[in-house]
Every structure is written in C-alpha cells, then in structure tokens.
Amino acid sequence: MTFQQFAFNNVMRNKRIYMGHFFSSTFAVMIFFTYGLISFHPNLQGELTSISTTMNTLGKIGFQVSQYLTFFFSFFFILYSVSAFLKTRKKEFGILMIHGMSHRQLNKLIFMENMLIGFFSIVTGIGIGLIFSKLILLISASILAINNGLSFYVPTKAMGLTGISFFVLFLLISLFTSRMVKVNELVELLKAEEKPKPEPKASIWLALLSIISISVGYAAVFHLSVGKDYMTSNQLLMLIGGGVVLVVIGTYFLFTQLSVYVMHALKKNEHTFFKKTNLLTISELIYRLRDNAKTFFIVAIISAVAFTAIGICAAMANAGWGERMSPYAFQYESYAGNPLEKQHISEIKQQLDDAHFQYTLVSPKFITTANGRTLIKLTDYNEYAKKFGYKTETLQHETDSLVILPKGLKPQEFAKLAAEKNIELNHGNVKVTLQIIKRAEVQELKGYYDSKIVVNDSIYNQVISQKLSEEYMVRPEVTEYGFIIKDWQKTLDVSKTLLKIIKPNSNDVNTPYSFSSLSFNWIEMKQQNGLLSIMTVLVGIVFFIFATSFLYFRLFTDFDRDHQQYSMIGKIGLSKNELKKIVTKQMMLLFFLPILVAMIHSSVAFAAVQYVAKFSNGGQDISVVKSSIIVLTSFLCMQIIYFFIIRSNYIDQLYKAMYQIEKSE
C-alpha cells in the first residue's frame, strides 16, 4: 500500500467525522460558483435592464463583496473544522508515531488528507452548481424582475475562478493544519482523550450582566422610534451601534455564563435533578454548554445578522413599498406656460387606451405662496375627493380654510401644526389670515413635510393673479396630473414607451414639466433589493450551513467518549428508549438554543424597523414583520429537518458502536 493510498484510506475510515466538513465545504464552493454564474452572465454585462445604467455596476460590486465574504468565512470555517478533527485524532497520531512514522511523514499525511477532501469538495460543488444552474438563473431573473429571463450558458469564467480560488484556499489550510500537531511526547498524545475535564464554573455577576446587557440593548433599539423625534442622525447611529454592541456582549455571556449557571441551578434542585434521567442529561449538558459556548455565540450572532438582512430585503420587494412613493401609476407635473402639456397628457392617455388599461385621472392645481404655503382651491379639492371616495367640503366664509397635514413629521412638529388655528398668507399684495375650520385625512394628497391648504376659489385666484419679481424665487402654478390604475405593476411596457417620448430632464431646473412612473420606480427599487436579496440570502444560507456544521462537528468529535460512556451506563440498566430520550434532549438544546436566541434578536430588530417604516409612511402598514416571519419560519423548518436527520444518524451510529463493544466483551 502506497502512502497516497494510506492517506485515502484514512479519510474513508474517518468519513463519519469528515462528512459534515465535506458537505459544508462543497456547499461553500457551490455558493461561490453561483455568484460567479450570475455576475458573469452575458445578459448582465451591460445594463441590468433598460431601466438603470448603474444597476449592473452596483450588482457586480455587491456580488464581488459577497464572494469575498463567502471566501473569507469559508477559510476560517474550514480551518476551524480541520483543527477540531486533528484534536480528536491525537491518539491515532501517537500510535502511528510508535510504529515509526516521522514528524515529516505525519505532516505530509495531514496535508494529503486535507487536499483530497478539498479536491472532491471543489469538483462536487461546481458539479452541483452546474446541475442547478438553469434553476438558479430562472429564480434570479424572477427576483430581479427581468422579463426576458436569463438564458443558460456555459460558465467557464465562474468555473475557473471558483476552482482556482478554493484550490488556493485548501492549499493554505493544508499547509497550516499540517503543522498544527506538535508532537513532543507520545504519552501526551496517547492519553489526550483520557484527561478529565474540570467541572465548568459560572459567575452569577456575569450571568446577570448578560441579562442586563441584552435588555438595555433591546431598549436602545426600541428607543429608536422615540429618539428619531429629537436626536440627530449621528446620535441615532450611536444609539443603534451601542444597542447592537450591548446585545453582542450580552449574548456572549449568555452562553458562557448564564446557560452554565442555569444548569448548575437545576443540578442543585434535587426534585428536578433526580427525576428519571435528568441526572444524566443535566450533568452532561453542563459540560457541553461550556465546551460549545463560543460556537453557540458565533452561530447566534451570524444567524441573527443573516435573518435580519434577509427579512428586511424581502419586505422591501413588496408592492406596498412602491405605493409608498406615490398613489399614481403615472404622475405628470406641468408648470404654468408649459407648451407640451396637452401633447404629453394626450400621449399618456393614448398609450393607456392602446394597452387597454382602465384609469382614473385627477388634475388638481397647486400654487406655493411667497411665505411657503401650498394652496389648492376648493373646487379642485372636491373634484379630487369625489374620485377617491372622500367627503366633499364647503367653506362658508372667504377666509375659511381646510388643512391636509403632511406625513413623515416628527410628533412634536405634527402636534404644532395640528394646534394651529390660523394661517398667514403672504404673496405680493395678498396678505390674508385664514381660519382653520377643519383638518382632512386625504392620504393621496399628503406630501412629505408639506401641508396643503384648501382655500376658497376667490382667495386662490387673488394669489395666482399676483405677478412677483424673480427675486422671490416662487414656483409658478403647477398642475398635477395623476393616473390611478389598479394593476399599476403591469404598466412597465407603457412606462418604457412614455419615457422615450416625454424624456424628462431632471437635471435641468428650467424644464417646465416632470414625469414619473410608479411601476418604473418600483421595478428599479425591486431590482436593487433583488440584488441585495440574492446576496444576503446566499451569504445567509452559507452562514447558516456553517453554523449548523459547527454543531455537527462538536457532536461527532465527542462521539467516541459518548458511546463508551453510554455503553457503561447501559450495563447498569439504561434502556435504549431512555438513551434516545437523553440524546434527543441534549441535541435539541445544542441545535436550537443558538437559533432561538438569533430569532429573538432578529424579531426585536424587525419590530423596530416595522414601527419606523409604518410611521415614515404616514401610518400606512408596510409589513416588515410578515416577510420576516416567512424568513424565520423557513430557516426554522430547515433546522428541524437537519436536526432529525443528524439525530437519526447519530443514534444509529451510537447503537452500532455500543453493540460492537458488547460483542467484543
């Protein structure tokens, strides 16, 4: 048998331990390949779509950053997993050295084993990526709202970049890990597994600190909803940053101190501790929680970041965020003296009629006074209100007025405007004090930070008749044409045609009109969030797989000790059903405790974002929580499936090992 065959047989003999490492590495390779598959696609080398010329550049930068993140975390994950395996094989290495293996040969053996696993991970990962490449492109095209889709192609660049990158990664890790085993004394290696572990201890003060830190961190995040009313942007960022730091610190001490302290408390409770098999379960969990505390901490924090990012990106792709921008499918603002007004409005109507869209047209006129008041005359308002189903109003006295308060105000500003009883108008020779008789809740007329005042036609006509000098810099009267369409998401083709005809120039302040399309803006926003979603989902899944693999490694690295321990206990009466219950309870805590903590952290973040989103949208419900529940439920289901698969495999392996011990005796 050659040395290469010996290395291969070593990998196969330890396949139970290496299996999780192999599959996780394969998955990381596949995700890295997926980024390359999308970013190198021929259809994405120019513009992402005809909507935005900058989206492709932003997309490429985002995919590259995501690739770097995947590569970076893959390096440390694989390095960690390999070092964990080496620790469990110290006794094996000691036996090999007793039989004459040199230090150099041992390093060579470890190097070859790692490169073998790396090679097969690269080939398998790229192969699986190629098999599912068509499905990946179909899903990506749907998320990015690309109507023509992304055609299949042979991704040679993605294959080359993935193969070279991960070959270098595994080469570096193999060089590192082959020198990790320092064998000074054979006796130390042979007795590495026999060293007793000291009983873990926990500080009550650090345990309390974990609760206080997390509570204060949550309070800081929730205070965002109040703090934004009086704090500056920098202060808000410091508030959020401080809250996140406190939650991270609290989470670390939760796993290293509080969890162990709770187990010790249960151990001291004789009624609980001596009930059925709790003695074995609790005693073992004290050691497992302390040994895995840092792993749990990393899993919880990374998972919380991934869950939060994915949930928010998924919510922002909702159509409600598009409706937040405007109630109109098409909005055309025409300033007084615009020579193209009739032509453009006629063209919009013609295009909608040709595409068989039913629409409602509103065209209120507004004028802004010299002292910054935006006015709309009563007849325009009542016509507008009828079309939207609101109650029409009357103004009995000439100086009566109706105010529509804006959205997006801080509570103090809102209260100040709501308390006003009179409004001063100052526009040229027109100096009038208006009396507010009512405040109307017309969502469609609510602008951001700009109250609209409904006045009698006579007052409006007096204001518009004034000719002010250019020094006042007052905008002329504007007519706002709004086309209300129920299925506005389907108007993208019409939008593209109209944008070519009307060609609004937002850079020219002298342009007498402006035109915008809700579907156009929503699709662009959806594509931006689609890119974020693809990146965050893929990175989030990689983190999640790595996190669950950490748990797999920790479980199976203690396997030899576990089956010997349970075999000895089995001789004094522990049944297989009791063994299964003990193992299941321990595994449930190990697999679900960090994920549960991550979900609680994410839920707090979602609740805060939901409140801020709702308030900034004028009280309309933009559901962040709904999308977040879907994300959290999906990951929880994945974890449950993974748990049952690993549990079944672990118990089967445990039974086989215990049976072999009994048979040998």
Side-chain angles (χ1 to χ4, degrees):
M1 182 172 61
T2 64
F3 198 83
Q4 289 81 2
Q5 289 174 329
F6 181 71
F8 179 79
N9 291 335
N10 255 359
V11 173
M12 296 306 295
R13 184 170 58 252
N14 292 288
K15 61 180 179 293
R16 183 190 69 231
I17 297 177
Y18 277 123
M19 193 63 68
H21 168 50
F22 170 75
F23 282 124
S24 301
S25 301
T26 299
F27 191 82
V29 172
M30 188 187 75
I31 294 298
F32 191 91
F33 171 79
T34 300
Y35 284 125
L37 174 73
I38 299 172
S39 61
F40 289 125
H41 195 283
N43 292 2
L44 301 179
Q45 297 310 300
E47 300 177 11
L48 180 64
T49 68
S50 59
I51 286 180
S52 175
T53 58
T54 60
M55 289 302 297
N56 182 64
T57 303
L58 293 174
K60 281 187 175 180
I61 293 173
F63 280 124
Q64 288 174 357
V65 170
S66 300
Q67 280 183 311
Y68 297 151
L69 281 174
T70 303
F71 188 85
F72 178 79
F73 281 101
S74 296
F75 177 84
F76 286 101
F77 162 76
I78 295 171
L79 185 64
Y80 169 85
S81 60
V82 172
S83 62
F85 298 151
L86 294 180
K87 289 179 182 178
T88 64
R89 297 177 63 191
K90 283 186 176 182
K91 187 174 182 179
E92 176 188 338
F93 295 151
I95 294 173
L96 289 174
M97 295 195 71
I98 286 178
H99 286 80
M101 180 174 282
S102 65
H103 289 249
R104 183 177 179 182
Q105 287 176 322
L106 180 62
N107 290 336
K108 183 180 178 181
L109 175 67
I110 295 171
F111 177 84
M112 292 181 67
E113 288 180 7
N114 288 332
M115 289 305 294
L116 273 172
I117 295 172
F119 173 77
F120 286 111
S121 295
I122 293 170
V123 173
T124 307
I126 293 176
I128 295 174
L130 283 171
I131 292 171
F132 289 99
S133 58
K134 181 61 179 176
L135 178 62
I136 292 169
L137 292 173
L138 287 172
I139 294 173
S140 299
S142 176
I143 293 174
L144 297 174
I146 300 175
N147 293 330
N148 298 327
L150 296 172
S151 59
F152 177 78
Y153 76 110
V154 180
T156 52
K157 289 184 179 180
M159 293 168 63
L161 178 63
T162 304
I164 293 172
S165 298
F166 273 86
F167 177 80
V168 172
L169 183 146
F170 280 107
L171 180 63
L172 292 173
I173 288 175
S174 299
L175 291 172
F176 276 124
T177 54
S178 63
R179 287 163 175 76
M180 276 185 178
V181 180
K182 295 180 180 179
V183 283
N184 297 322
E185 295 184 12
L186 291 177
V187 175
E188 182 182 350
L189 289 174
L190 292 172
K191 293 187 176 182
E193 297 178 359
E194 299 175 10
K195 292 182 179 180
K197 296 180 181 179
E199 185 177 15
K201 296 180 180 180
S203 167
I204 185 173
W205 300 112
L206 292 178
L208 288 173
L209 178 63
S210 70
I211 299 173
I212 295 171
S213 295
I214 293 175
S215 300
V216 174
Y218 284 175
V221 173
F222 278 116
H223 190 70
L224 176 69
S225 59
V226 179
K228 64 183 177 58
D229 299 331
Y230 61 87
M231 298 175 72
T232 64
S233 299
N234 290 334
Q235 290 173 332
L236 288 173
L237 287 174
M238 290 179 64
L239 178 68
I240 296 171
V244 170
V245 170
L246 286 171
V247 170
V248 171
I249 293 172
T251 304
Y252 177 79
F253 287 120
L254 183 149
F255 289 117
T256 58
Q257 301 294 325
L258 181 60
S259 61
V260 178
Y261 183 82
V262 170
M263 287 295 110
H264 276 299
L266 290 174
K267 189 176 180 180
K268 291 178 182 179
N269 187 329
E270 294 184 2
H271 177 72
T272 302
F273 186 62
F274 292 107
K275 185 178 180 180
K276 296 183 179 179
T277 58
N278 285 351
L279 184 149
L280 295 174
T281 303
I282 295 173
S283 298
E284 183 66 17
L285 277 176
I286 292 176
Y287 288 91
R288 286 191 182 274
L289 285 172
R290 190 57 182 267
D291 290 344
N292 299 312
K294 292 181 181 178
T295 300
F296 289 170
F297 166 70
I298 294 171
V299 170
I301 295 301
I302 290 177
S303 298
V305 172
F307 295 160
T308 304
I310 294 170
I312 292 174
C313 287
M316 291 180 71
N318 191 297
W321 286 84
E323 292 170 349
R324 172 187 175 185
M325 294 182 286
S326 172
Y328 309 122
F330 298 100
Q331 184 172 347
Y332 183 92
E333 290 187 350
S334 176
Y335 298 101
N338 175 19
L340 300 173
E341 178 179 330
K342 291 184 178 179
Q343 177 185 337
H344 285 163
I345 297 301
S346 177
E347 186 63 44
I348 297 172
K349 291 179 179 179
Q350 184 63 48
Q351 291 294 332
L352 290 174
D353 289 337
D354 292 344
H356 306 291
F357 280 106
Q358 299 292 325
Y359 63 86
T360 301
L361 175 62
V362 293
S363 53
K365 297 180 184 294
F366 302 97
I367 190 168
T368 303
T369 64
N371 64 334
R373 300 294 189 175
T374 302
L375 308 181
I376 176 176
K377 59 184 175 182
L378 181 61
T379 53
D380 277 2
Y381 170 80
N382 283 335
E383 182 182 352
Y384 191 94
K386 285 180 182 178
K387 290 184 178 180
F388 277 98
Y390 292 100
K391 181 183 176 182
T392 57
E393 302 291 344
T394 57
L395 299 175
Q396 296 182 357
H397 302 96
E398 185 182 41
T399 57
D400 286 348
S401 66
L402 178 73
V403 174
I404 302 166
L405 293 177
K407 53 188 174 183
L409 291 176
K410 295 180 179 180
Q412 292 91 337
E413 296 172 338
F414 187 89
K416 182 179 178 181
L417 289 176
E420 285 185 341
K421 296 180 179 180
N422 298 303
I423 296 175
E424 298 293 333
L425 291 188
N426 187 348
H427 192 82
N429 295 326
V430 179
K431 298 186 186 326
V432 180
T433 300
L434 299 177
Q435 183 180 358
I436 301 173
I437 63 168
K438 188 176 181 181
R439 288 174 174 82
E441 289 292 327
V442 182
Q443 294 293 336
E444 290 76 12
L445 276 178
K446 284 189 174 185
Y448 284 94
Y449 312 106
D450 180 21
S451 297
K452 291 184 173 63
I453 304 166
V454 182
V455 298
N456 273 299
D457 291 17
S458 59
I459 296 291
Y460 188 93
N461 292 332
Q462 288 179 44
V463 172
I464 202 171
S465 65
Q466 296 294 306
K467 302 297 182 183
L468 302 183
S469 60
E470 294 183 359
E471 62 181 290
Y472 283 95
M473 300 294 292
V474 177
R475 292 192 309 175
E477 182 186 41
V478 59
T479 304
E480 186 179 89
Y481 293 92
F483 292 82
I484 304 162
I485 301 174
K486 183 178 180 181
D487 298 325
W488 58 267
Q489 299 97 323
K490 300 177 181 179
T491 61
L492 184 59
D493 291 335
V494 176
S495 300
K496 292 178 180 179
T497 303
L498 289 172
L499 285 168
K500 291 178 182 178
I501 297 171
I502 297 177
K503 296 180 181 178
N505 187 358
S506 59
N507 296 323
D508 186 0
V509 294
N510 295 318
T511 303
Y513 64 88
S514 65
F515 175 71
S516 63
S517 163
L518 182 59
S519 63
F520 181 94
N521 295 333
W522 179 62
I523 289 294
E524 185 174 25
M525 184 185 70
K526 189 175 179 181
Q527 288 179 344
Q528 293 171 354
N529 295 322
L531 289 170
L532 285 173
S533 296
I534 292 174
M535 290 182 284
T536 53
V537 167
L538 292 179
V539 172
I541 292 175
V542 169
F543 288 171
F544 183 76
I545 294 296
F546 284 174
T548 52
S549 296
F550 282 143
L551 302 177
Y552 176 91
F553 300 150
R554 295 301 308 174
L555 187 67
F556 276 95
T557 49
D558 294 333
F559 179 79
D560 291 336
R561 181 182 65 84
D562 289 348
H563 79 71
Q564 291 177 3
Q565 175 181 312
Y566 290 130
S567 179
M568 293 173 61
I569 298 173
K571 293 177 182 179
I572 57 175
L574 184 71
S575 66
K576 285 190 174 182
N577 286 334
E578 289 173 329
L579 172 62
K580 185 182 290 188
K581 288 180 180 179
I582 293 172
V583 172
T584 300
K585 287 179 181 178
Q586 292 182 359
M587 289 182 65
M588 283 181 67
L589 193 63
L590 295 176
F591 272 73
F592 292 105
L593 178 61
I595 299 300
L596 179 62
V597 172
M599 288 184 171
I600 293 172
H601 290 346
S602 299
S603 298
V604 172
F606 291 145
V609 172
Q610 170 77 11
Y611 179 86
V612 173
K614 183 175 181 179
F615 181 82
S616 63
N617 195 37
Q620 295 183 25
D621 186 20
I622 302 297
S623 181
V624 176
V625 174
K626 182 179 179 181
S627 300
S628 306
I629 290 173
I630 295 173
V631 171
L632 294 179
T633 303
S634 300
F635 276 101
L636 181 61
C637 290
M638 289 170 58
Q639 184 74 345
I640 291 172
I641 294 170
Y642 182 74
F643 166 77
F644 280 110
I645 292 173
I646 298 302
R647 171 184 170 276
S648 176
N649 182 39
Y650 184 81
I651 291 176
D652 288 344
Q653 294 287 340
L654 201 59
Y655 284 163
K656 287 180 183 179
M658 291 172 63
Y659 174 74
Q660 288 176 356
I661 291 176
E662 292 174 1
K663 189 176 180 181
S664 63
E665 294 176 353

